């Protein structure tokens, strides 16, 4: 059952108990958010998640029966296509359960990278593959574009009339996706609950259908969720959701507006779900809490004063992995507030989904922000569609070199505060703007598959954290647009952003969507993200590389590190000069 390791009672817990926030959330009392008319109206439409465990809107027995029949029919691979809330919980459930043995080979495709799409599709037996197409609105451009590419791939080896039997829709009633699935006679179409937003949909059909196909017993899974729902809806200080919400909020008030998430490898996928839930729900009106996922504990060997820590232990049979995790936590400064949890099984994930959803809704109440909308996600979507319709904007300049490396034409577009006429100059201006309490986000519309790509990006992420002493995040595009992208634009102006995209050497053409290819879609989304960040007055630049090879990304990493070393040396000299000029006591 849910339990956290902390001996401190945070003041906000008493406020939440006094105002009966937990029980009012469970009762779907939208007047909790009456601090703003728009927030109250939004809450009235999107609090259906609060009792999904005890009152599921779709019969779980039918979902389980569907999954058993699909597997009995010979399905060996399930490919989930979606974006944002439609994929994060399923990815968490199926990846966590993979170690214990998924019933099928479960793959999630939430990337528009041609490299990633080809990697996923290569080697799977299409005759034994089931494709889940998941989208609440049914109109998400990433989903429609990837589906177009996947259907074309199926058509290369399979008669057109057979393809629908391999497709399953998960979408809200009345969507275009539902209409298509019914018109084309797809294998099944599961209706979502309209009063449940995407990032709160883990216990709806969006999470349960993938879980059942992975072989998880839904009765057991929801049994854990029911216990958690009961505990999290009680107006008591020992409510685990109240403990979590007050930990986050009171540390936020103390200047710790970021939390670092530490877990063994098995649990890292849970961090991605938490990241979206927290950042997209709370990052608005100039407020927000930044989740910092997958970082090095050595970076917190000394308290930076702007972060707290949440740790998750997970079940593993490997002694070395357990010991490695414990040793890593030993480096954390004891002055940093810490909250610790443990998960023993995939079924227990259901408890933590409930706890975090309730806690984030409580944080929205405390922060006085609506946790159920995402206005800046919508604005970026609109900007991307406009670019696809009107054409890619002209860059500020093009350059053939990164340092001494000739790499072909790279395109650079910048916010006014970063203006320069070279890549090195722009990077210097960007990173020089980073101050204590800020955070850096490397937003990469690049494939994380292939030798050297992710490693080169991690060099940049870690280098910024080490040399500039700030929280540093590596975000995958376009996934982050539906997650931390909301916080980047709607939260406090503490973010510094480097957006990277690249030409595709073997792009995948599209025929039934707004973008002419997957590569064109990624470039348009990167440009759209930059345009909204600039509009919000953020420090940012977009670098479009001539290719996405590991060696090109590594060259960029080397250039960034040279800039960071220069800034570090300059700041050290300034500090020494200030110390020398200070009067002796």
């Amino acid at each position: 059952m849910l339990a956290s390791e902390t001996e401190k009672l945070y003041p906000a817990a008493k406020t939440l108990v006094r105002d009966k926030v937990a029980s009012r959330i469970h009762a779907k009392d939208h007047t909790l958010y009456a601090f703003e008319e728009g927030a109250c109206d939004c809450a009235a439409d999107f609090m259906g998640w609060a009792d999904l465990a005890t009152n599921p809107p779709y019969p779980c027995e039918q979902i389980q029966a569907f999954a058993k029949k699909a597997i009995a029919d010979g399905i060996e691979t399930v490919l989930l296509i979606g974006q944002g809330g439609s994929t994060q919980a399923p990815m968490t459930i199926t990846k966590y359960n993979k170690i214990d043995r998924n019933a099928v080979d479960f793959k999630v495709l939430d990337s528009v990278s041609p490299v990633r799409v080809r990697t996923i599709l290569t080697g799977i037996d299409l005759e034994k593959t089931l494709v889940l197409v998941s989208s609440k609105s049914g109109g998400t451009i990433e989903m429609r574009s990837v589906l177009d590419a996947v259907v074309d791939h199926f058509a290369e080896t399979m008669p057109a009339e057979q393809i629908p039997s391999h497709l399953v829709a998960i979408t809200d009633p009345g969507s275009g996706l539902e209409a298509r699935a019914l018109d084309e006679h797809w294998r099944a179409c599961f209706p979502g609950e309209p009063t449940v937003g995407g990032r709160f949909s883990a216990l709806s059909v969006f999470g349960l259908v993938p879980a059942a196909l992975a072989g998880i017993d839904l009765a057991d899974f929801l049994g854990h969720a029911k216990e958690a729902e009961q505990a999290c809806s009680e107006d008591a200080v020992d409510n685990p959701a109240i403990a979590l919400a007050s930990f986050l909020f009171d540390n936020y008030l103390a200047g710790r507006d970021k939390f670092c998430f530490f877990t063994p490898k098995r649990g890292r996928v849970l961090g991605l779900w938490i990241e979206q839930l927290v950042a997209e729900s709370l990052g608005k009106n100039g407020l927000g809490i930044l989740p910092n996922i997958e970082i090095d504990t050595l970076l917190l060997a000394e308290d930076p004063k702007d972060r707290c820590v949440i740790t998750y232990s997970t079940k593993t049979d490997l002694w070395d992995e357990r010991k490695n995790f414990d040793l890593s936590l030993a480096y954390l400064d004891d002055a940093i507030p810490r909250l610790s949890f443990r998960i023993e099984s995939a079924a227990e994930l259901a408890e933590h989904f409930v706890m975090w959803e309730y806690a984030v809704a409580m944080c929205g109440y405390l922060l006085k922000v609506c946790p159920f909308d995402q206005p800046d996600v919508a604005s970026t979507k609109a900007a991307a569609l406009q670019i696809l319709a009107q054409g890619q904007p002209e860059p500020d300049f093009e350059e053939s070199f990164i340092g001494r490396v000739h790499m072909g034409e790279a395109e650079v577009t910048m916010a006014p505060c970063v203006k320069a006429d070279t890549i090195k100059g722009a990077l210097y201006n960007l990173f020089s703007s980073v101050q204590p309490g800020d955070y850096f986000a490397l937003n990469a519309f690049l494939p994380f598959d292939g030798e050297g790509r992710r490693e080169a990006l991690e060099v940049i992420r870690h280098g910024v954290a080490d040399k500039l002493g700030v929280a540093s995040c590596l975000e995958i595009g376009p996934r982050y647009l539906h997650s931390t992208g909301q916080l980047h634009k709607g939260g406090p102006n503490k973010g510094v952003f480097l957006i990277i995209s690249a030409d595709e050497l073997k792009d995948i053409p599209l025929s039934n969507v707004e973008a002419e290819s997957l590569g064109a879609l990624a470039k348009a989304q990167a440009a759209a993200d930059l345009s909204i960040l600039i509009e919000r007055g953020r420090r940012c630049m977009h670098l479009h590389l001539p290719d996405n090879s590991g060696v090109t990304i590594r060259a960029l990493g080397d250039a960034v590190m040279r800039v960071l070393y220069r800034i570090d040396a300059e700041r050290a000299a300034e500090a020494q000069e200030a110390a020398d000029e200070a009067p002796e006591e």
Side-chain angles (χ1 to χ4, degrees):
M1 190 53 198
L2 289 172
S4 60
E5 297 176 17
T6 182
E7 297 178 356
K8 184 173 181 179
L9 177 64
Y10 286 88
K14 296 180 180 179
T15 300
L16 293 169
V17 173
R18 181 197 66 206
D19 295 350
K20 300 186 183 304
V21 174
S23 60
R24 291 172 68 187
I25 289 174
H26 190 254
K28 306 176 189 177
D29 179 3
H30 62 280
T31 63
L32 264 177
Y33 304 96
F35 49 79
E36 184 180 285
E37 183 179 353
C40 191
D41 291 343
C42 183
D45 293 334
F46 291 105
M47 293 187 74
W49 56 272
D51 64 348
L52 280 176
T54 55
N55 188 31
Y58 193 90
C60 296
E61 299 81 5
Q62 293 184 25
I63 297 174
Q64 201 88 63
F66 168 82
K68 288 181 179 179
K69 186 176 188 309
I71 294 170
D73 288 346
I75 293 298
E76 296 180 356
T77 300
V78 173
L79 173 61
L80 173 62
I81 297 173
Q83 196 61 234
S86 298
T87 57
Q88 291 291 1
M91 194 182 336
T92 299
I93 296 166
T94 57
K95 278 195 173 184
Y96 192 93
N97 193 62
K98 184 176 181 180
I99 295 173
D100 294 334
R101 181 76 169 84
N102 280 340
V104 295
D105 182 13
F106 203 102
K107 301 177 183 294
V108 176
L109 189 48
D110 64 349
S111 170
V112 298
S113 162
V115 173
R116 180 62 178 162
V117 172
R118 287 196 301 271
T119 299
I120 288 286
L121 294 178
T122 299
I124 63 175
D125 185 343
L126 298 183
E127 293 287 349
K128 298 178 181 178
T129 297
L130 189 66
V131 180
L132 301 183
V133 187
S134 184
S135 170
K136 279 191 66 64
S137 69
T140 311
I141 190 170
E142 297 95 336
M143 175 276 293
R144 292 187 290 112
S145 299
V146 173
L147 176 60
D148 190 72
V150 169
V151 169
D152 283 350
H153 183 71
F154 267 79
E156 292 175 4
T157 58
M158 185 182 298
E161 61 271 17
Q162 290 184 17
I163 296 176
S165 66
H166 292 265
L167 303 177
V168 174
I170 308 175
T171 187
D172 280 0
S175 74
L177 178 58
E178 180 192 57
R180 177 177 175 179
L182 296 176
D183 182 61
E184 296 179 0
H185 304 291
W186 287 15
R187 185 184 188 112
C189 181
F190 290 94
E193 170 51 55
T195 63
V196 178
R199 59 188 178 276
F200 287 85
S201 64
L203 298 178
S204 74
V205 289
F206 290 92
L208 297 182
V209 173
L213 286 164
I216 290 175
D217 184 330
L218 295 188
D220 182 37
F221 190 74
L222 288 176
H224 283 272
K226 288 176 184 176
E227 291 182 17
E229 190 179 295
Q230 180 178 355
C232 292
S233 59
E234 293 179 352
D235 297 312
V237 292
D238 60 353
N239 176 331
I242 287 179
L244 174 56
S246 58
F247 173 83
L248 292 172
F249 179 73
D250 284 315
N251 277 301
Y252 170 86
L253 291 182
R256 297 181 185 272
D257 58 352
K258 311 166 187 73
F259 70 86
C260 298
F261 183 84
F262 294 105
T263 182
K265 182 178 180 181
R266 182 176 188 177
R268 287 175 193 162
V269 68
L270 174 62
L272 296 177
W273 179 82
I274 291 171
E275 179 183 49
Q276 180 191 19
L277 181 71
V278 174
E280 194 174 16
S281 298
L282 305 179
K284 55 201 75 168
N285 300 342
L287 306 173
I289 297 171
L290 175 76
N292 195 191
I293 310 300
E294 292 185 40
I295 74 165
D296 184 351
T297 55
L298 288 175
L299 296 170
L300 295 181
E302 183 177 338
D303 182 11
K305 304 291 196 300
D306 67 339
R307 276 159 268 183
C308 53
V309 165
I310 292 178
T311 71
Y312 263 87
S313 299
T314 60
K315 181 182 178 182
T316 173
D317 295 324
L318 299 177
W319 178 89
D320 182 67
E321 187 175 324
R322 292 197 305 273
K323 194 65 177 176
N324 184 57
F325 178 63
D326 292 340
L327 289 173
S328 72
L329 295 182
Y331 289 101
L332 295 173
D333 190 327
D334 289 338
I336 303 174
R338 190 188 309 188
L339 187 61
S340 300
F341 297 98
R342 180 172 183 81
I343 292 182
E344 289 289 335
S345 66
E348 287 186 6
L349 284 170
E351 302 173 13
H352 293 265
F353 289 150
V354 172
M355 177 186 69
W356 277 93
E357 288 170 352
Y358 267 78
V360 165
M362 292 171 183
C363 283
Y365 171 77
L366 294 167
L367 283 167
K368 297 296 182 282
V369 300
C370 177
F372 309 118
D373 64 355
Q374 49 283 329
D376 295 298
V377 173
S379 64
T380 307
K381 288 180 182 178
L385 290 173
Q386 184 175 9
I387 289 172
L388 289 171
Q390 299 179 0
Q392 192 75 22
E394 289 296 319
D396 290 327
F397 67 86
E398 298 182 5
E399 188 176 342
S400 299
F401 286 83
I402 292 182
R404 297 181 298 275
V405 179
H406 186 282
M407 54 166 191
E409 293 296 323
E411 302 173 9
V412 184
T413 313
M414 305 157 287
C417 59
V418 182
K419 284 296 182 185
D421 53 13
T422 66
I423 292 175
K424 183 178 179 181
L427 290 172
Y428 177 83
N429 291 343
L430 182 74
F431 290 117
S432 292
S433 74
V434 175
Q435 299 299 321
D438 285 341
Y439 68 91
F440 168 70
L442 177 59
N443 299 338
F445 288 81
L446 299 171
F448 279 38
D449 300 279
E451 184 176 358
R453 289 188 174 107
R454 173 148 193 163
E455 293 83 352
L457 295 170
E458 289 287 4
V459 166
I460 298 174
R461 187 256 279 266
H462 187 275
V464 172
D466 182 40
K467 297 302 178 186
L468 302 184
V470 297
S472 185
C473 310
L474 176 57
E475 304 288 358
I476 302 174
R479 177 192 295 169
Y480 78 87
L481 294 178
H482 303 262
S483 176
T484 51
Q486 171 61 46
L487 174 71
H488 294 169
K489 304 171 189 73
N493 193 356
K494 293 185 176 183
V496 176
F497 309 98
L498 174 58
I499 304 168
I500 307 176
S501 57
D503 285 343
E504 293 287 345
L505 299 181
K506 189 180 179 184
D507 206 348
I508 296 178
L510 304 172
S511 55
N512 301 302
V513 294
E514 294 88 342
E516 64 181 21
S517 68
L518 288 179
L521 174 58
K523 186 176 183 181
Q525 289 182 307
D529 189 37
L530 182 83
S531 70
I532 304 299
L533 287 169
I534 292 175
E535 186 180 292
R536 300 290 191 273
R538 290 348 191 199
R539 294 159 283 173
C540 53
M541 66 178 284
H542 173 204
L543 180 59
H544 183 76
L545 301 173
D547 64 73
N548 56 29
S549 66
V551 67
T552 297
I553 303 171
R554 190 165 71 249
L556 172 62
D558 291 344
V560 168
M561 289 307 301
R562 286 193 292 272
V563 168
L564 293 175
Y565 278 117
R566 175 186 169 188
I567 295 171
D568 186 43
E570 290 174 349
R571 291 184 175 180
E574 291 171 0
Q576 184 60 53
E577 183 179 349
D580 292 343
E581 294 177 354
E584 294 185 6
E585 295 183 1

